[in-house]
Amino acid sequence: MLRTDAGEVLNLRGTNVGGWLTQEDWMSPLGEFAADRTGWSASATGGSPERVLDGSQTTRWTAGGAQRGGERITVDLGAATLFNRLSIDNTAAPGEYARLVDIETSTDGSTWKSVATQAGVDGVTIARFTPQVARFVRLTQKASAPVGWSIGELNLFSDPVLFNGRHSASATSSAPGTSPSKAIDGDVSSVWQSGAAQAPGQAVTIDLGRNVDMDKVLFDAGRATSNDYPRIWDVFTSWDNATWTKVASGYGAGRTVLADFNGAKNGRYLRIVSNGNASNWWSVAEVAIYSGTSLDRGAWTATASIGSPAGEVLDGNVATRWTTSTHQAPGQSVTIDMGALATMNNVTIDTAKNASDEQDWARGYALDLSRDGSTWTTVATGVGTRKATTIGFPAQAARYLRLTQTGSSPDRWWTIGELTAGLHNDDFSLSTTLNARFDAATTQSIIATHQDTWFTESDLDEIAAMGMNLIRLPIGWSHFLNLDGSWKSDPWSKIDWAVKEAAARGIYVLLDLHTVPGGGCPWGSCGRIGPNPNGFWGSETYHDWVESIWTVMADRYRGNPAVAGYDLINEPLIDYDEDAEDVAQKSEYYDRLYDAVRAVDPDHTIFLGAFFGPNSLAAPSVHGWTNVVYEYHPYDMPNQKDWSAQNQLVTNELSGLPARLSGHGVPILYGEYSLYYNDDVWSRFMAGLNSLDVSWTNWTYKVRGAAGDGFAYWGFYYDNPSPVPVVNSDDAATFRSKLAAFGTENFTKNERFVATVAKYTGGLAAFAPAEIAHSGWTASASSSSPWSTPASGIDGANGSSWQSGKAMSGDEWYQIDMGASHTVSMVTVQTAPDSAWDYPRGFTLETSIDGRNWTAAATGIAYGWKRPISIEPTTARYIRISQTGIAPQWWTLDQIAVFSSY
């Protein structure tokens, strides 16, 4: 809450303006990192192939003439390189995309392996395949078209996947001469085969040897057996090889299948099941399991100049360690051979926490990279930090990395529990690479293009129209400071503009330092992907920089009535398992910032991140804090498709609020949250917060992701599929051109989400959904299974369900006659708990007064076993739900509930 100059107490209700003044790659369009193209060359059948590597969106290679099949372009990467994704951009020549392209790799330019065969699309064609270590990539156009084939830019990527060399595999059956191990041997030309026609229940199980967070899996049937893909597939994970959880399901449609789990799922075992029927055998040439943000180290080797075996730094356990076994001295080193060129911009060294190892940080270090093990380049120097050290540098390719001790300690050894590396896409990495590639003026022009496009006056008009009185404004530390800690020439114009324009619309601004140097938590949302603790917490230099930012900012905005307050650090987290020492350290630094702000601004409210809960921060009385607000960010991302999990999250938060409010005796802000596709859960949460006079700002105003990927309820505006810049290869003009496509007018507005939130911005504190009784209802359907009837879908949530009796194909419908007209504002469609995958993949909801004339009230995707569908309140007697998606499951309805209000 906020106390105005007139003494009025206001509850603040609004949204975040994420992705504007700091980079968050899943939301804002500032770019992605591709493989370093240094030393690459291209050849082709005609044209100017070098243009595919020049970084310009306006130049292009053209094969010449109409597509006939056989047109080809080859890229020499200069050395064996790791990659698993390729993009082909023909934006400069609309329509001139390859109708069918075969992608091959080679280590020597003579022997080739096909890794993907894919139809092209206009714009940017993305091909994903299993990890390859190769020097050459060849693209061959295999179809016919009346236009030519052009490529503006060609890029390779290495998305983090697990190295299969340390996994084992089994299968329900195998053809003679094949074995499940061939599906994980790293060779896309060797194939496991079922040895029998496809039938439900055939399975391949992979034992990862340890619990791993996984979020996707790709499986490839192979070129020679490309038609042996599973007609129906299901993917399961397990911790114990006994209890299995389904994480993805669908139809096979070609050689490769990418199964997205919609959130990370933990397990030791992964099982792919073929549940369809076909005369073909089922074949798997290779499997790729996506996990985490760092390069998998399974193929790496480590050596050291001194001490214990260096391999301990790669074993996945910080408790086992490499150590010098003697005092730190200059010249001690650890060297890693990654086996192939990999593009990276970060190296992290980590130790066991709350143990003596955490004091054995490097008193000085130099990080050198090499492509060949002979010629080395120093890319970073510095001093390590207690517990863990993150080392960032401009993105570049290397096969070898060497970390050398440059400091001394008379009483501490140098110890490394784990060493990791990655190509991280976060605010720090973006700034580092842009500054290395361009001069300051060009870099600023790129950032300015984004800032002038992403959020404008019309966006503030939209926020005001929703009735909101607050925007939480996430700002990156690099918006204020250069990478060396010096101040930028004018970091205030956009912030001043936002405060002024928001005030003109009756909207307050909460200034949120969303990222801090080194990273205040392990995630990219804190500005830098890293370990626990991330680099901020052990650096006095970074502490000084942040104190400077807040001293200057508080001095600038003191007395400004449009500023709601100062959110000092977003999501501060020292360790996932913070102990009393960690909490004390965090609280003491907060006290330092508090004192710095209060020295220049005694009046504005200070917001402190209680992350993950009230026990993660000292009580205000410990340090004498006054006029403070504690801030919470509740999320349940792993269970985003489970209505019950999201509803339980709200139950837990609302039931715990009275104790939180009374315990510390300070107001609370729910500064971030998302409850996915559940209008009723959103409503219950906001009504509950309003009833307790608790302020809130949802995350966030807009995101670029699509509905099918779960993003339609992350932002009021969503779904902009325009290509984002490639940070380390696009030229400045291409950067600016791509960023200019991300104005809000090019996004989709989620009208129902907007309407749901807008109901509560005025302070509505009641959530009392009025369900219409089912008495007198009748139901009909497009089809029914032999053992179900449409009536089973309206007889209550009792496990007695209506079933369509056929796989979802997009032409199913279910219709209700309520017997009389009612006001309808929300319809909830749910399957039985034991049929959680039988939800409609897409829907159209229609209403009618007479059963003949229908009005479309809502369309969209379902998102899990229970989907509340809010609509503009309307009068109707009949309701028809059409299933518009495609899935191998039957459509099942255990209960349809209709509400006159919610």
Side-chain angles (χ1 to χ4, degrees):
M1 62 179 61
L2 175 72
R3 187 175 298 276
T4 68
D5 291 340
E8 180 187 7
V9 175
L10 292 178
N11 283 324
L12 300 171
R13 306 181 185 99
T15 190
N16 284 264
V17 184
W20 183 39
L21 301 183
T22 184
Q23 153 79 335
E24 290 196 53
D25 71 304
W26 65 274
M27 178 177 50
S28 52
L30 277 162
E32 64 176 335
F33 287 89
D36 180 0
R37 300 193 300 194
T38 300
W40 291 16
S41 60
S43 58
T45 53
S48 302
E50 70 278 1
R51 293 178 177 175
V52 308
L53 304 176
D54 66 2
S56 173
Q57 194 176 36
T58 59
T59 63
R60 68 184 191 271
W61 164 76
T62 301
Q67 295 180 41
R68 298 180 299 275
E71 299 88 357
R72 178 173 291 167
I73 184 168
T74 303
V75 178
D76 180 354
L77 311 180
T81 301
L82 175 68
F83 56 94
N84 60 8
R85 174 164 56 101
L86 178 146
S87 70
I88 311 165
D89 187 345
N90 72 284
T91 305
E96 296 185 11
Y97 59 92
R99 277 17 184 204
L100 183 68
V101 63
D102 186 49
I103 302 168
E104 299 171 289
T105 65
S106 175
T107 58
D108 58 9
S110 299
T111 302
W112 295 88
K113 295 180 180 179
S114 172
V115 299
T117 306
Q118 185 165 328
V121 298
D122 208 6
V124 181
T125 298
I126 303 294
R128 299 178 188 271
F129 36 86
T130 56
Q132 303 298 308
V133 174
R135 173 173 171 171
F136 300 90
V137 181
R138 184 169 72 186
L139 281 63
T140 305
Q141 205 288 124
K142 307 288 286 185
S144 299
V147 297
W149 177 27
S150 294
I151 300 177
E153 286 292 298
L154 187 150
N155 277 289
L156 298 175
F157 305 83
S158 183
D159 299 321
V161 298
L162 301 179
F163 172 68
N164 281 333
R166 54 186 177 183
H167 303 158
S168 60
S170 58
T172 50
S173 65
S174 299
T178 74
S179 68
S181 62
K182 293 184 179 294
I184 56 171
D185 64 359
D187 183 355
V188 74
S189 64
S190 69
V191 181
W192 164 84
Q193 295 180 296
S194 62
Q198 292 184 37
Q202 296 171 340
V204 173
T205 301
I206 300 171
D207 180 358
L208 309 178
R210 75 279 190 208
N211 281 331
V212 175
D213 285 329
M214 303 167 270
D215 53 51
K216 289 186 286 288
V217 62
L218 181 146
F219 38 102
D220 179 4
R223 182 183 196 179
T225 50
S226 59
N227 202 39
D228 291 352
Y229 58 86
R231 272 33 181 188
I232 297 172
W233 53 265
D234 296 293
V235 180
F236 301 81
T237 60
S238 173
W239 290 356
D240 59 6
N241 203 22
T243 301
W244 294 88
T245 301
K246 185 187 290 190
V247 295
S249 177
Y251 285 113
R255 172 180 167 179
T256 57
V257 172
L258 180 66
D260 193 330
F261 303 169
N262 291 117
K265 303 295 187 291
N266 185 269
R268 171 176 171 171
Y269 301 89
L270 177 80
R271 176 171 291 168
I272 306 168
V273 181
S274 174
N275 273 326
N277 291 284
S279 59
N280 299 72
W281 292 359
W282 176 27
S283 299
V284 180
E286 199 65 25
V287 172
I289 302 168
Y290 292 70
S291 176
T293 56
S294 297
L295 295 166
D296 191 275
R297 302 167 298 162
W300 295 10
T301 58
T303 55
S305 64
I306 192 174
S308 59
E312 303 285 6
V313 307
L314 305 176
D315 67 356
N317 183 0
V318 293
T320 59
R321 62 180 188 168
W322 165 80
T323 183
T324 55
S325 300
T326 188
H327 302 153
Q328 293 185 38
Q332 299 163 340
S333 66
V334 173
T335 302
I336 306 294
D337 178 359
M338 295 177 287
L341 285 181
T343 302
M344 67 185 78
N345 57 16
N346 185 86
V347 171
T348 295
I349 51 177
D350 203 357
T351 59
K353 304 303 183 296
N354 304 316
S356 62
D357 288 4
E358 67 183 20
Q359 303 297 333
D360 291 350
W361 42 274
R363 270 42 182 185
Y365 65 79
L367 176 64
D368 297 283
L369 301 182
S370 175
R371 289 172 171 258
D372 58 10
S374 298
T375 302
W376 294 85
T377 301
T378 301
V379 297
T381 59
V383 176
T385 51
R386 187 173 68 93
K387 296 189 178 184
T389 300
T390 56
I391 305 169
F393 46 90
Q396 55 197 282
R399 173 172 172 170
Y400 302 88
L401 67 89
R402 183 174 64 205
L403 198 59
T404 303
Q405 173 67 238
T406 61
S408 300
S409 175
D411 55 357
R412 301 305 307 187
W413 299 355
W414 181 23
T415 296
I416 301 175
E418 289 295 299
L419 184 151
T420 59
L423 182 59
H424 295 165
N425 192 0
D426 51 39
D427 190 73
F428 174 78
S429 300
L430 173 76
S431 298
T432 301
T433 297
L434 286 182
N435 289 345
R437 294 192 62 210
F438 305 114
D439 59 48
T442 302
T443 296
Q444 184 54 41
S445 75
I446 290 170
I447 299 300
T449 299
H450 166 64
Q451 292 177 351
D452 292 342
T453 302
W454 185 255
F455 193 70
T456 66
E457 289 184 17
S458 63
D459 295 304
L460 281 165
D461 290 339
E462 286 290 315
I463 290 171
M466 289 184 235
M468 295 180 171
N469 65 1
L470 176 68
I471 57 172
R472 181 172 179 255
L473 185 58
I475 313 168
W477 73 271
S478 59
H479 183 79
F480 301 100
L481 306 181
N482 296 306
L483 293 175
D484 64 0
S486 61
W487 277 85
K488 292 186 174 180
S489 59
D490 180 21
W492 303 108
S493 59
K494 284 299 179 184
I495 304 172
D496 288 349
W497 171 87
V499 171
K500 177 184 175 182
E501 293 296 332
R505 294 161 175 80
I507 300 170
Y508 294 93
V509 176
L510 174 59
L511 300 174
D512 160 38
L513 190 60
H514 205 69
T515 74
V516 293
C521 77
W523 309 299
S525 59
C526 288
R528 188 170 182 182
I529 296 169
N532 277 319
N534 214 339
F536 174 75
W537 295 106
S539 171
E540 189 62 27
T541 297
Y542 290 161
H543 293 174
D544 292 343
W545 292 2
V546 170
E547 181 180 357
S548 172
I549 289 171
W550 275 118
T551 300
V552 176
M553 185 144 53
D555 184 58
R556 187 178 188 87
Y557 294 108
R558 64 180 174 182
N560 191 319
V563 172
Y566 309 129
D567 190 346
L568 299 184
I569 305 175
N570 172 64
E571 298 187 352
L573 184 69
I574 293 182
D575 199 339
Y576 287 123
D577 298 312
E578 287 180 333
D579 60 13
E581 180 185 0
D582 296 326
V583 172
Q585 178 189 354
K586 186 196 306 183
S587 301
E588 286 164 6
Y589 184 69
Y590 259 141
D591 187 52
R592 175 177 167 182
L593 294 182
Y594 174 93
D595 290 342
V597 169
R598 285 286 176 254
V600 295
D601 184 346
D603 299 320
H604 270 115
T605 302
I606 293 175
F607 291 71
L608 306 172
F611 194 76
F612 290 120
N615 294 329
S616 64
L617 198 60
S621 59
V622 173
H623 296 283
W625 300 332
T626 60
N627 193 16
V628 296
V629 171
Y630 276 28
E631 183 174 331
Y632 298 93
H633 294 180
Y635 291 108
D636 186 353
M637 295 181 185
N639 296 301
Q640 57 190 261
K641 282 191 170 184
D642 186 345
W643 180 92
S644 291
Q646 300 303 317
N647 193 54
Q648 187 63 50
L649 173 69
V650 167
T651 297
N652 294 344
E653 293 300 321
L654 294 180
S655 62
L657 260 176
R660 288 183 176 181
L661 288 165
S662 62
H664 288 322
V666 297
I668 285 173
L669 169 73
Y670 278 85
E672 292 183 24
Y673 57 92
S674 178
L675 300 163
Y676 299 92
Y677 288 60
N678 305 301
D679 290 311
D680 55 347
V681 181
W682 280 93
S683 296
R684 187 164 77 90
F685 190 43
M686 291 180 291
L689 296 180
N690 289 349
S691 70
L692 293 167
D693 292 325
V694 171
S695 299
W696 48 266
T697 53
N698 73 289
W699 191 271
T700 184
Y701 176 65
K702 65 191 267 194
V703 295
R704 60 185 175 87
D709 298 323
F711 287 104
Y713 275 70
W714 274 105
F716 300 112
Y717 288 87
Y718 69 101
D719 192 20
N720 186 325
S722 302
V724 300
V726 178
V727 177
N728 52 336
S729 59
D730 280 354
D731 63 22
T734 298
F735 241 107
R736 290 189 289 262
S737 176
K738 289 181 176 179
L739 292 173
F742 288 91
T744 305
E745 68 276 7
N746 297 322
F747 287 69
T748 299
K749 185 177 182 179
N750 188 335
E751 298 280 2
R752 296 316 308 158
F753 183 31
V754 169
T756 296
V757 175
K759 285 174 57 177
Y760 295 93
T761 55
L764 178 64
F767 174 66
E771 183 175 356
I772 300 171
H774 288 201
S775 177
W777 286 20
T778 59
S780 57
S782 55
S783 62
S784 299
S785 69
W787 47 84
S788 76
T789 65
S792 298
I794 55 174
D795 63 356
N798 56 9
S800 172
S801 304
W802 166 79
Q803 299 172 316
S804 64
K806 68 183 188 72
M808 286 179 260
S809 58
D811 59 357
E812 300 84 8
W813 54 265
Y814 185 91
Q815 184 172 312
I816 299 169
D817 176 0
M818 295 185 289
S821 292
H822 299 271
T823 299
V824 177
S825 64
M826 184 169 66
V827 177
T828 298
V829 180
Q830 71 180 70
T831 68
D834 60 354
S835 304
W837 282 85
D838 293 354
Y839 62 90
R841 298 315 197 258
F843 66 82
T844 297
L845 175 65
E846 299 169 287
T847 63
S848 174
I849 294 292
D850 56 15
R852 296 185 301 276
N853 300 294
W854 294 88
T855 300
T859 61
I861 67 165
Y863 203 70
W865 65 274
K866 184 174 181 178
R867 174 68 155 96
I869 306 167
S870 66
I871 66 172
E872 186 72 25
T874 188
T875 299
R877 170 176 171 173
Y878 299 89
I879 296 172
R880 182 167 64 200
I881 303 166
S882 298
Q883 198 292 121
T884 59
I886 297 174
Q889 287 79 19
W890 294 359
W891 179 21
T892 299
L893 288 173
D894 186 38
Q895 164 75 329
I896 291 184
V898 182
F899 298 85
S900 59
S901 64
Y902 74 99

